[in-house]
Amino acid sequence: MINILHSADFHLGARFHSLPPEKAQARRQEQLGQLEQLAGLCRSQGCQLVLLSGDLLDRPQGCRSEARALAGALEAMAVPVFLAPGNHDHLCPGSPYLEMAWPGNVHIFTRQELESVSLPELDCRVWGAGFQSMDCPGLLEGFRATGDEAVQLMVLHGDPANPSAPCCPVTRAQVAASGLQYLALGHIHSYKKERLDDRGVYCYSGCLEGRGFDECGQKGFVLLNVEDGRVE
């Protein structure tokens, strides 16, 4: 059995323009405090793997202090962490993902095409890709997971709204044909899970907490385990 933590859409460094400056700063500090909580939960729950599905930073450039805090929290998790940059924290010149030193347990997907990393100790393969701009074409069309590992996972920032969505559209049919046990998605700021019979699960964790009255509803992070091809 593999125990996994899935989260996304932290939007660290958000400016909170609707708040007075001192309250906006307090909210940014509270966001950073959530990183320590998440690292503690990862350890206490015995997680063996972490999947982070993009928009962890609110902007593609800057946010250096937030990126350093994020790197420290991910290192403290002390397990393999896979990060797929999204539209808000896409990869570009000046990106902290490209220009900072990240802990050795952190793998950042830096290409806008699907690639994978094998984890033999977990009999698992993790797939992912990273946005290169605010828009990203769909990446799942025609994809089928390959490799001898018993567990096939993917971490991706993507939009299920419609096939012409600008942020890596993802369809139910594509997921069903992918051969993945679990697709960890970001971009939608509320919790959403779809089980495809025995053909896997795709899930949005939602953001850790709402940043305004337009972000109500269930959200947070997801703890899951994969055993004998089944996801719970």
Side-chain angles (χ1 to χ4, degrees):
M1 182 171 70
I2 308 175
N3 295 318
I4 301 169
L5 187 151
H6 164 209
S7 194
D9 296 291
F10 301 167
H11 286 275
L12 300 173
R15 293 187 172 98
F16 295 103
H17 289 299
S18 63
L19 297 176
E22 67 278 5
K23 290 189 176 181
Q25 178 60 26
R27 290 295 294 113
R28 287 191 288 271
Q29 288 302 120
E30 289 169 355
Q31 284 184 309
L32 296 180
Q34 292 171 352
L35 296 177
E36 296 179 12
Q37 293 177 320
L38 205 61
L41 281 162
C42 178
R43 296 191 300 269
S44 68
Q45 295 294 321
C47 295
Q48 300 158 281
L49 186 62
V50 176
L51 305 175
L52 300 176
S53 307
D55 283 4
L56 307 183
L57 304 174
D58 195 55
R59 300 181 298 284
Q61 299 164 318
C63 296
R64 288 304 178 101
S65 61
E66 290 83 4
R68 287 191 291 269
L70 176 62
L74 301 186
E75 184 174 30
M77 290 176 174
V79 296
V81 176
F82 291 88
L83 195 164
N87 58 313
H88 277 268
D89 56 358
H90 63 264
L91 298 152
C92 64
S95 166
Y97 294 143
L98 298 176
E99 299 189 359
M100 269 179 47
W102 288 82
N105 65 314
V106 177
H107 180 90
I108 301 174
F109 289 104
T110 57
R111 300 175 64 189
Q112 195 168 279
E113 58 186 67
L114 292 169
E115 54 186 349
S116 66
V117 176
S118 178
L119 299 173
E121 66 278 14
L122 298 177
D123 197 13
C124 170
R125 182 174 292 269
V126 181
W127 297 82
F131 278 46
Q132 304 289 321
S133 67
M134 284 292 289
D135 295 345
C136 178
L139 300 174
L140 274 181
E141 183 62 38
F143 170 81
R144 179 75 183 181
T146 58
D148 297 329
E149 296 82 2
V151 177
Q152 299 278 344
L153 309 171
M154 184 182 289
V155 56
L156 191 64
H157 204 75
D159 191 338
N162 61 73
S164 61
C167 293
C168 190
V170 174
T171 70
R172 182 183 176 91
Q174 289 170 347
V175 181
S178 68
L180 299 168
Q181 274 80 41
Y182 187 78
L183 172 56
L185 288 166
H187 189 61
I188 304 301
H189 286 195
S190 57
Y191 173 70
K192 174 182 173 64
K193 180 186 74 174
E194 292 285 344
R195 186 180 294 276
L196 304 171
D197 300 322
D198 292 327
R199 293 175 294 171
V201 174
Y202 67 99
C203 181
Y204 288 87
S205 61
C207 52
L208 285 179
E209 67 173 32
R211 293 176 295 140
F213 291 112
D214 59 338
E215 292 185 351
C216 298
Q218 192 177 19
K219 57 182 60 64
F221 60 92
V222 174
L223 293 172
L224 61 133
N225 60 66
V226 183
E227 186 173 20
D228 296 329
R230 291 287 297 174
V231 175
E232 299 295 341

